[in-house]
Amino acid sequence: MKIISIISQKGGSGKTTLAANLAVYASMQKLKILLIDTDPQKSLSYWWEQREEKTPALADVSIKDLEKTIKNLKKDLFDLVIVDTPPHTNETIKSVINISDLILIPVKPSPNDLRAIGNTMSLIKNQNKKFIFVINQANKQANITLSTATELSKYGEVCSSIIANRIDYVTSMISGKTVTEGSKGKSLIEIKDIFNYVKKYLCK
Ligand SMILES: Nc1ncnc2c1ncn2[C@@H]1O[C@H](COP(=O)(O)OP(=O)(O)OP(=O)(O)O)[C@@H](O)[C@H]1O
Ligand SMILES: [Mg+2]
């Protein structure tokens, strides 16, 4: 069982959207997936309650109880656990980082999001964990997207697949779905590419 946590100090960077889309796509690949919602806002749980499909599973767990919950999970019950986290966390997020095999950090290509990166990095540094930036809600042709990728690469690895600003990321979630369900479009390819990109780190 591997654990991916999705972390960003910046609110609205796409943590919940990335968690739901990756989890559903991974379930479609026949992996046994558990989503954990540690955010008191409960956006992921509200989305999940709208779902008709039984997978992925979801558990609502506070950050305080996360370590114990993971410890008590039977290791062969799930292939992958994906943890969605709240924004504006501080020291408490370190316990999430501690139990993770891989951290994904969604970042929007905007000056405000880039300025907030230092806060996220200060929580991750010294923890010796693999982390990958995922650029989200981007205009792929815009200069700001390229400069964001360049700026982020000074801190660490940037996923080569970028998530564009697309309305289906928003509308699919209204009914408890994701872009990977019933879609053959560009957004499905983006999620598939990100999944394949991160998968190689989980196999190590
Ligand atoms: N690629 C995208 N294209 C268009 N809209 C997006 C995209 N990704 C996320 N959004 C929208 O942006 C908003 C914020 O996304 P999301 O809730 O995933 O961020 P978050 O980091 O989980 O926020 P919070 O910090 O409040 O938990 C939502 O309305 C979501 O539908
Ligand atoms: Mg969220």
Side-chain angles (χ1 to χ4, degrees):
M1 186 179 83
K2 298 287 184 175
I3 303 171
I4 297 181
S5 294
I6 306 191
I7 287 171
S8 161
Q9 283 286 77
K10 188 88 177 76
S13 58
K15 295 177 286 296
T16 301
T17 304
L18 185 59
N21 277 278
L22 277 182
V24 170
Y25 184 78
S27 294
M28 290 162 69
Q29 310 314 303
K30 308 281 179 243
L31 292 175
K32 291 175 281 176
I33 306 297
L34 174 65
L35 271 170
I36 297 186
D37 188 2
T38 64
D39 186 354
Q41 294 180 104
K42 300 292 162 227
S43 313
L44 190 65
S45 304
Y46 293 135
W47 161 80
W48 188 81
E49 281 161 19
Q50 302 299 315
R51 275 181 78 71
E52 286 167 11
E53 297 75 8
K54 292 196 172 62
T55 56
L58 181 136
D60 195 338
V61 181
S62 66
I63 289 186
K64 181 171 68 65
D65 293 333
L66 184 65
E67 200 168 345
K68 192 171 73 195
T69 305
I70 295 285
K71 211 168 151 193
N72 290 341
L73 264 183
K74 277 191 141 188
K75 298 295 168 253
D76 54 355
L77 210 51
F78 295 102
D79 300 308
L80 179 63
V81 178
I82 298 178
V83 183
D84 186 21
T85 65
H88 315 301
T89 44
N90 41 43
E91 295 295 304
T92 56
I93 203 76
K94 289 189 176 169
S95 65
V96 181
I97 295 168
N98 203 25
I99 54 106
S100 302
D101 296 295
L102 176 66
I103 318 285
L104 297 182
I105 307 171
V107 184
K108 286 203 289 193
S110 85
N112 286 346
D113 285 62
L114 272 178
R115 279 184 207 112
I117 279 299
N119 291 338
T120 306
M121 295 318 298
S122 65
L123 298 170
I124 287 184
K125 71 172 187 207
N126 304 330
Q127 295 250 58
N128 200 21
K129 290 284 175 176
K130 179 72 198 169
F131 62 90
I132 299 172
F133 296 108
V134 179
I135 298 179
N136 179 40
Q137 231 176 318
N139 175 336
K140 291 188 186 180
Q141 275 74 47
N143 282 339
I144 183 79
T145 303
L146 266 185
S147 57
T148 297
T150 310
E151 193 58 32
L152 290 175
S153 64
K154 293 179 188 165
Y155 295 96
E157 188 170 334
V158 183
C159 182
S160 56
S161 176
I162 290 175
I163 305 178
N165 183 13
R166 299 183 200 283
I167 197 66
D168 58 346
Y169 283 104
V170 185
T171 52
S172 60
M173 291 189 78
I174 296 170
S175 54
K177 293 203 176 289
T178 63
V179 299
T180 64
E181 293 165 295
S183 155
K184 293 187 175 60
K186 292 178 180 169
S187 38
L188 168 65
I189 294 168
E190 287 167 353
I191 297 300
K192 177 180 164 214
D193 287 350
I194 290 170
F195 177 76
N196 287 332
Y197 190 96
V198 301
K199 199 174 66 176
K200 57 181 186 267
Y201 292 101
L202 300 172
C203 296
K204 279 178 186 167

PDB file of all heavy atoms in Angstrom, residues 14 40 66:
ATOM      1  N   GLY A  14      -6.315  23.413  -6.267  1.00  0.00           N
ATOM      2  CA  GLY A  14      -6.761  22.236  -7.020  1.00  0.00           C
ATOM      3  C   GLY A  14      -6.510  20.915  -6.311  1.00  0.00           C
ATOM      4  O   GLY A  14      -6.558  19.848  -6.940  1.00  0.00           O
ATOM      5  N   PRO A  40     -11.491  19.936   7.023  1.00  0.00           N
ATOM      6  CA  PRO A  40     -12.773  20.234   7.691  1.00  0.00           C
ATOM      7  C   PRO A  40     -13.814  20.855   6.749  1.00  0.00           C
ATOM      8  O   PRO A  40     -15.010  20.795   7.028  1.00  0.00           O
ATOM      9  CB  PRO A  40     -12.384  21.232   8.794  1.00  0.00           C
ATOM     10  CG  PRO A  40     -10.922  21.057   8.982  1.00  0.00           C
ATOM     11  CD  PRO A  40     -10.352  20.579   7.671  1.00  0.00           C
ATOM     12  N   LEU A  66      -4.969  10.683  11.554  1.00  0.00           N
ATOM     13  CA  LEU A  66      -4.547  10.053  10.295  1.00  0.00           C
ATOM     14  C   LEU A  66      -3.502   8.951  10.496  1.00  0.00           C
ATOM     15  O   LEU A  66      -3.627   7.848   9.957  1.00  0.00           O
ATOM     16  CB  LEU A  66      -4.020  11.130   9.336  1.00  0.00           C
ATOM     17  CG  LEU A  66      -3.624  10.638   7.953  1.00  0.00           C
ATOM     18  CD1 LEU A  66      -4.831  10.105   7.187  1.00  0.00           C
ATOM     19  CD2 LEU A  66      -2.948  11.749   7.146  1.00  0.00           C
TER      20      LEU A  66
END
